[in-house]
Structure formats: C-alpha cells, structure tokens
Amino acid sequence: MKQRMTAFIIAAGMTASTGAFASQARQLVLGTQDPLNILSAGTHGSLYVDDNMNVFFNPSYLTGHKNWAAIEKVSGIPGTSTAAEGGFAFDIGQATLGFYMNRQDSISHLLGTAAVYGSGTVNQPVRPFDILLAMDTGVKWGVDLSYGSNTRGVSDNSAADLTLRAGAQVAEFEPFVSFKLIGRNTVSSTVENKNSSVTLGTKYRFGEWTPFAVYRTDSYTAQGASSVTANGWGVGFGRNMKMAEGTQLRYGASYWQRKDNSGKATRLPIDLSVETDATAWLTVRAGLSYLMASTAGDTSSPNSDTTGRLGAAFKFGKATLDWAVGSTAGTGQVDGTTFDFANGLFTQASLTYNW
C-alpha cells in the first residue's frame, strides 16, 4: 500500500504545472518588502517577488496568471480577522476575469491598519469581494473593484467601502494606482465617519533587477472630530537570480517612511529568499527578513524584527498545495518558537487548481 501511494505521488508530480498559482503562504515565507503595510495590511502583494497575489495592487498582472481557482485556509495572518478566502480567474475571449472573496486587507481604512467598521458591541466585519478584469491590447492593463458592506442590526448602523485599483505594463514600466471611492461608517442617524485613500506606485524591469517606488495618503474623519491623516512612501529594489535549473535566489532592500498624527516611523527591510524544486512534485522555500527601524511616537509597528520562515509547495497534476510552516506556541503563527507536529505546523495553506 505504501509503495502504491508513493508511486501515485511521484506520478502525479511528474505532470505538475510549473506555472502553479502562488499564495499568501508563499509571500509569508519569501517576504514582500512592504514593512509598513502601504500596499497591503496582509500578504496580498510583493514588491520584489513575482507572485499571483500581486494582481491585488496591479491588476494588469492577471494577464499572466489565467485560469485558476484557489482556496486559502489561515490559522493567523497579520492584518486580517478571518480564517478563509478564495476565488478564481478565467479567460473569456481576449480578456481575463477574476472574482475573489473575503480579502480583508482590501478595505484597510487608515495606512497600516485593517478597517474597523462599527461601534462597541455592534462592531461587525465587512466581508469584501474583488472583481478583476485584465486585457493585453498591445499594452497590458487591468482594473480591480473591491467592495464590502454591512448592516449591524442597530438602527442606522451600517458601513460601505468601495476601492478602485488599476495598473498597466508599458515597456519596462509597471505603474499602478488605487482610489477609495466610498469609505463610510454610519454610527447613527446623525453621525457618519468617512475614509479616503490614494496610492500611486510603479515597478521597473531592468533585467534581473526591479526598482520600485510607492506613495500613499489616507485620512479618517470622525464626525465632529478632527481628521486623522497618514502619509507613507518607499523606494527600493529587488533582484531575481537563477542559480541553477529549478532554483531561484532573490533579495531586496528598501527605505520607507510613514507619518501620521502620532509620529513618524522609518523602516529599512532586507529580504533574502530561496526556492528550489527538490523533486518534480515538491518545491521547498525559505526566507529571511531583516528589519532596521526607528520610531518617534508611532507604536503601530515593531521597532525592529528578524524572521526566518520555511514553506513548501506540493504539486499533484494541475493542483498545488502551498504551505507555510508555523506554530501556535510562543509568538504563534509563522514565527512561533516551537518547531514540531503538535503546535499547528500547518499555519497556513492554500489549494489551487490551474487549467
């Protein structure tokens, strides 16, 4: 029986697609070069690693990531409050359409924080969804509309959030922009809080090198109170090197600043990661993130941190199981202090099918 099972796994892996869909589990291990969460309050976009999740800050990347369906299972992701999300994308004529459910960081209402819509015991989550459209018409372009709303069972208590994102690939430039069209939290018939957000950025392809720059400005206005504003920006680079057949070495470094009403935060992250095809059906990966930081009045992020993370992708024909090693002991999730099978080794996983 054991021999038959082993043979099945190897045979299935031999037909695995090399262009398998990636996931948050992969980005948790490899890093994102986004220490102040300017692109995302979770793990939906890396500035130095090519990854399918990057479609959520530049939807034009969907032209290169077609025909998939994915389900994410989460034990704990920074910046989110749910345990599951997922969606699909498919070709229709010359276009690629995508639909994705419950990506909580799509509605972040103030730079570096997840959205909070509600008041006291009536606070309820907003369950967002993304609708994506991308085409290659000589210029690759794409748009993403993120929407979420709730009604909290109390008179006049409701919320709505709508954000438009757009991106393109023109020559070697890959610009992207996002704009919050609606950010409303109605607490009562006389109190309505409002959010606004704008993000601008671009990546540039220069052989193995990818320089990037990002700027974001947010504001949150509670009725009858002064606005809270936050501005953040960053510049940096990434490099993707092919070390051998099936082995990629990547590294990136950048400089980031965020200013808000409470102070200023500065971050200098350095990411180093490696992925290699151990067999036809197994890819293993590891990532080291080293962070230098200074903080003046800002307590929303750690002053400094270093993480070392491990993960893998198991391939079975056109299906891929992505996995990040974790632990519920110590600090928990992917940076737990215990490495064993008894403390939540499968912190995060996703199953994706490509066709």
Side-chain angles (χ1 to χ4, degrees):
M1 179 67 180
K2 180 185 290 186
Q3 290 83 357
R4 288 198 298 270
M5 181 60 71
T6 301
F8 168 76
I9 291 174
I10 294 174
M14 293 296 288
T15 60
S17 169
T18 57
F21 186 85
S23 65
Q24 292 183 81
R26 181 174 184 251
Q27 291 200 351
L28 279 171
V29 173
L30 301 183
T32 65
Q33 278 291 300
D34 185 20
L36 293 176
N37 300 320
I38 287 180
L39 281 182
S40 166
T43 45
H44 294 96
S46 175
L47 286 163
Y48 94 110
V49 175
D50 288 332
D51 190 288
N52 297 58
M53 286 287 169
N54 294 353
V55 302
F56 295 116
F57 72 81
N58 188 333
S60 73
Y61 296 148
L62 195 64
T63 59
H65 300 299
K66 307 174 181 181
N67 298 324
W68 53 263
I71 297 175
E72 297 261 355
K73 177 63 179 176
V74 184
S75 292
I77 302 178
T80 71
S81 60
T82 68
E85 61 180 64
F88 54 87
F90 59 93
D91 283 341
I92 179 168
Q94 294 183 329
T96 302
L97 295 177
F99 182 73
Y100 202 83
M101 297 164 283
N102 214 36
R103 183 173 68 93
Q104 289 292 305
D105 58 16
S106 68
I107 55 173
S108 60
H109 80 295
L110 191 63
L111 184 57
T113 66
V116 178
Y117 287 105
S119 175
T121 58
V122 299
N123 185 24
Q124 297 292 330
V126 177
R127 301 299 185 189
F129 59 85
D130 290 86
I131 299 175
L132 302 102
L133 169 66
M135 294 185 69
D136 184 351
T137 55
V139 172
K140 296 178 180 179
W141 59 269
V143 293
D144 172 20
L145 203 62
S146 301
Y147 177 76
S149 65
N150 69 28
T151 300
R152 295 184 288 272
V154 179
S155 178
D156 298 317
N157 274 231
S158 63
D161 193 284
L162 179 66
T163 299
L164 176 65
R165 297 175 178 85
Q169 298 172 61
V170 183
E172 306 303 321
F173 287 94
E174 299 173 357
F176 53 89
V177 61
S178 73
F179 182 76
K180 190 178 293 293
L181 302 173
I182 299 173
R184 173 181 54 78
N185 178 26
T186 302
V187 180
S188 69
S189 59
T190 59
V191 178
E192 183 176 83
N193 305 326
K194 295 182 178 180
N195 312 315
S196 66
S197 177
V198 177
T199 302
L200 301 169
T202 191
K203 296 173 66 176
Y204 180 77
R205 299 284 176 174
F206 186 68
E208 295 180 340
W209 300 85
T210 310
F212 58 81
V214 183
Y215 173 78
R216 175 172 166 177
T217 179
D218 290 4
S219 70
Y220 176 75
T221 304
Q223 189 161 320
S226 300
S227 296
V228 178
T229 61
N231 301 301
W233 61 272
V235 293
F237 70 90
R239 188 183 185 189
N240 188 325
M241 302 172 59
K242 182 178 179 180
M243 302 299 294
E245 188 65 33
T247 300
Q248 298 285 333
L249 174 69
R250 303 178 180 91
Y251 58 86
S254 53
Y255 177 86
W256 296 86
Q257 269 196 11
R258 179 181 65 211
K259 293 182 180 180
D260 57 27
N261 291 34
S262 62
K264 181 177 76 171
T266 302
R267 302 287 185 269
L268 290 87
I270 300 173
D271 285 315
L272 173 66
S273 62
V274 62
E275 279 187 305
T276 186
D277 293 330
T279 70
W281 55 270
L282 173 65
T283 297
V284 293
R285 60 181 65 107
L288 177 70
S289 292
Y290 177 75
L291 182 66
M292 294 180 285
S294 66
T295 301
D298 182 291
T299 59
S300 59
S301 299
N303 287 331
S304 61
D305 202 5
T306 299
T307 63
R309 297 171 176 175
L310 303 173
F314 302 91
K315 306 171 188 178
F316 302 92
K318 295 184 179 181
T320 302
L321 175 66
D322 247 330
W323 165 43
V325 174
S327 171
T328 57
T331 57
Q333 286 103 48
V334 289
D335 297 321
T337 56
T338 300
F339 186 82
D340 59 24
F341 286 96
N343 290 279
L345 189 65
F346 279 86
T347 288
Q348 183 161 339
S350 71
L351 182 66
T352 303
Y353 184 82
N354 295 83
W355 68 91

